[in-house]
Amino acid sequence: MQPIARISSTDHAVNHIRDSILSGAYRRGDKLPAEMELCELLHVGRSTVREALRVLQAMGLVEIRHGKGAFVTDRENAVTPEMWFQKYNYKVADIMQVRLPIEQMAVRLATINMQEKELSHLQEIQDSFRRAVEENNVNQMTLADEYFHGAIIEGTHNPLLISFNANLTEAMREYRLHSFSVPGNPEHAVGPHEDILSALRLHNPELAAAYMVTHIQSSLSDMQRIL
């Protein structure tokens, strides 16, 4: 599936379920319909439903209980981005400590191994991210940013690195969602993404790594500003 279509379908599923929860169709403690039922209701695939539920869990609207399903959480105790960062600052710091060397290594490898069709794919994702920022669509920003960095990892063609990144992506999803909820933060990612893309097209590993470091350090600065 193309990145724009994938982001659009996941965002559609997120919005539909979120609106149902906020309207009271699903109340606190209610179990959401099973995955296959949601697939039929939303006319999307199972992977899209699962991704939407993970986003909703990151938003604090849904709790996924393994083996039991997804349940509506207590919205009265919703956590603001500021509260989340204050509570999990150590967790975010740990993630960033791992993310920085991993993504530096990945972008260096990607400058060597990424093919033209993969760079075009990355550009499509970046275009989608920019539109989401312009439209202030936090769900799409979160997904597009996740896909942008994921596509770079995929571009390394290193199976072990790709597998490791799957765990890092899960840990980063809630961070991305809360960070992009703060005005000004999304705009700080648009330029660095473009810089990284340009370095990848030039096949310049050192320049790409330098841009990635700047990007991640900017993200850390945004977190510190929130705290």
Side-chain angles (χ1 to χ4, degrees):
M1 184 181 292
Q2 292 299 312
I4 296 173
R6 185 178 175 191
I7 292 169
S8 178
S9 60
T10 303
D11 192 51
H12 162 71
V14 168
N15 288 338
H16 181 94
I17 300 170
R18 181 193 61 196
D19 291 346
S20 296
I21 293 172
L22 296 179
S23 69
Y26 300 121
R27 299 183 181 278
R28 182 177 62 190
D30 284 353
K31 181 180 178 181
L32 295 178
E35 283 183 2
M36 292 310 299
E37 188 177 344
L38 286 172
C39 289
E40 294 175 6
L41 176 67
L42 301 171
H43 306 290
V44 296
R46 198 168 183 177
S47 61
T48 297
V49 167
R50 287 180 175 177
E51 195 159 18
L53 290 175
R54 287 195 293 266
V55 171
L56 288 161
Q57 180 173 247
M59 295 171 71
L61 292 173
V62 164
E63 177 189 0
I64 299 173
R65 302 174 190 170
H66 294 291
K68 296 183 179 180
F71 295 79
V72 179
T73 56
D74 185 354
R75 297 190 304 280
E76 293 178 359
N77 295 323
V79 177
T80 65
E82 292 81 2
M83 291 167 61
W84 186 87
F85 279 108
Q86 287 172 356
K87 182 176 181 180
Y88 294 107
N89 180 36
Y90 73 94
K91 178 182 176 183
V92 174
D94 289 345
I95 291 169
M96 287 300 186
Q97 198 171 42
V98 173
R99 183 188 179 195
L100 186 59
I102 290 295
E103 295 223 34
Q104 281 187 80
M105 177 175 63
V107 80
R108 282 193 175 99
L109 286 173
T111 59
I112 300 167
N113 296 328
M114 280 189 93
Q115 301 172 3
E116 186 57 39
K117 63 180 181 180
E118 292 174 304
L119 289 169
S120 297
H121 176 83
L122 189 62
Q123 182 64 64
E124 289 179 11
I125 297 171
Q126 171 60 6
D127 292 342
S128 181
F129 179 75
R130 186 189 296 105
R131 281 194 296 274
V133 172
E134 291 170 353
E135 296 167 4
N136 196 31
N137 188 324
V138 177
N139 296 339
Q140 286 200 12
M141 289 179 215
T142 301
L143 292 167
D145 188 67
E146 182 177 304
Y147 295 158
F148 182 89
H149 288 273
I152 293 173
I153 298 288
E154 292 281 343
T156 67
H157 299 179
N158 183 311
L160 185 59
L161 189 56
I162 292 168
S163 176
F164 181 82
N165 185 63
N167 292 326
L168 186 61
T169 296
E170 284 295 319
M172 281 289 297
R173 182 172 286 122
E174 194 168 355
Y175 166 84
R176 284 186 166 105
L177 183 67
H178 285 290
S179 179
F180 289 144
S181 297
V182 178
N185 284 2
E187 289 79 3
H188 295 167
V190 175
H193 279 191
E194 295 289 352
D195 291 337
I196 292 166
L197 246 172
S198 67
L200 285 166
R201 290 192 182 279
L202 291 170
H203 303 287
N204 187 325
E206 294 308 316
L207 184 61
Y211 282 143
M212 184 63 78
V213 170
T214 299
H215 178 36
I216 294 176
Q217 287 178 340
S218 175
S219 180
L220 278 169
S221 296
D222 286 338
M223 182 187 73
Q224 291 166 350
R225 179 169 54 85
I226 294 168
L227 295 173

